[in-house]
Amino acid sequence: MMRIRSATLLLGFLALTACGSSSTASKTVVCDQQYWNGSVSVCLPKGWKVLSREQLTVLGVPEETVAAFQFETPQAGQLDTVTVTREPLSQEMTTSDYSQSNILAVSALPDYKLLDKIVVTIDSQESAIHVFSARPSSEQPIRRYYQLSATVARTGYTFTGSFPLSIQDSEAAEVLFILKNASFTDPATKEAE
């Protein structure tokens, strides 16, 4: 029940801050900025920025949110947003089991519909990018979500992107790029190998 409530709160926040970007052209997505906070690493395409903890606090984002990334160009006063939440686990879980557990948790949201499930590997562990639509609350519109979950020891991490129900291919490519490049290893260590 706690996981459903946390998912609902976070999806509600994302619905308030996320919307489509103005990019219409299809393009190859490349890494413009490598992000590493000591526990989470992602590669951000051009036009994405990192939100500080202070910005997250002002926005009322829950403390379990350890990172957030936004597209810099607003549309209708809102921005594409990807957040990363951290959850302590009572016991170790495999990334695959944790991913399945989170998929099951969000499937209880109102108007939930599975749109796609893409199998990916994060630090040699299998997971899935879960693409779904749902209504974060009864008074909000149905939105499209991209979600990826993984574990490190007894900690679960969930990356969530929120968008309007219909998004452009270029927007989908950027959020998929961010999620597919998620890691829990220092990128400097990877480059040295």
Side-chain angles (χ1 to χ4, degrees):
M1 188 65 174
M2 175 70 167
R3 184 172 288 158
I4 293 172
R5 185 175 56 214
S6 293
T8 302
L9 286 173
L10 183 60
L11 295 180
F13 159 74
L14 288 170
L16 294 174
T17 61
C19 190
S21 70
S22 60
S23 174
T24 58
S26 177
K27 62 182 179 193
T28 301
V29 181
V30 296
C31 184
D32 184 62
Q33 175 186 354
Q34 184 66 55
Y35 171 82
W36 169 247
N37 69 358
S39 58
V40 174
S41 171
V42 296
C43 206
L44 300 173
K46 186 173 181 69
W48 285 80
K49 66 180 180 179
V50 177
L51 295 180
S52 69
R53 179 73 248 171
E54 293 77 26
Q55 291 170 305
L56 296 176
T57 301
V58 168
L59 292 169
V61 176
E63 280 298 315
E64 60 265 12
T65 302
V66 295
F69 316 103
Q70 274 188 342
F71 193 71
E72 294 174 338
T73 307
Q75 179 152 357
Q78 297 181 338
L79 299 161
D80 293 341
T81 304
V82 174
T83 61
V84 184
T85 57
R86 177 175 47 208
E87 171 186 25
L89 303 173
S90 59
Q91 62 187 25
E92 284 193 32
M93 292 179 78
T94 66
T95 287
S96 181
D97 287 345
Y98 186 67
S99 176
Q100 286 300 97
S101 175
N102 280 326
I103 290 171
L104 184 61
V106 297
S107 70
L109 291 170
D111 298 310
Y112 168 86
K113 181 180 178 187
L114 175 66
L115 302 176
D116 199 1
K117 186 176 173 184
I118 305 161
V119 176
V120 296
T121 302
I122 302 173
D123 298 337
S124 303
Q125 301 294 314
E126 186 176 292
S127 187
I129 297 174
H130 175 216
V131 184
F132 65 98
S133 61
R135 188 180 304 277
S137 69
S138 59
E139 58 277 346
Q140 293 180 334
I142 296 173
R143 298 192 57 81
R144 175 186 297 250
Y145 296 94
Y146 292 77
Q147 196 166 71
L148 172 72
S149 298
T151 60
V152 177
R154 291 177 61 168
T155 304
Y157 292 90
T158 300
F159 299 73
T160 306
S162 174
F163 299 86
L165 191 54
S166 295
I167 67 169
Q168 298 172 15
D169 290 345
S170 59
E171 293 170 283
E174 287 185 3
V175 73
L176 287 171
F177 179 84
I178 292 169
L179 298 181
K180 287 179 179 179
N181 285 285
S183 177
F184 304 101
T185 304
D186 183 344
T189 305
K190 283 184 176 180
E191 289 177 10
E193 294 176 352

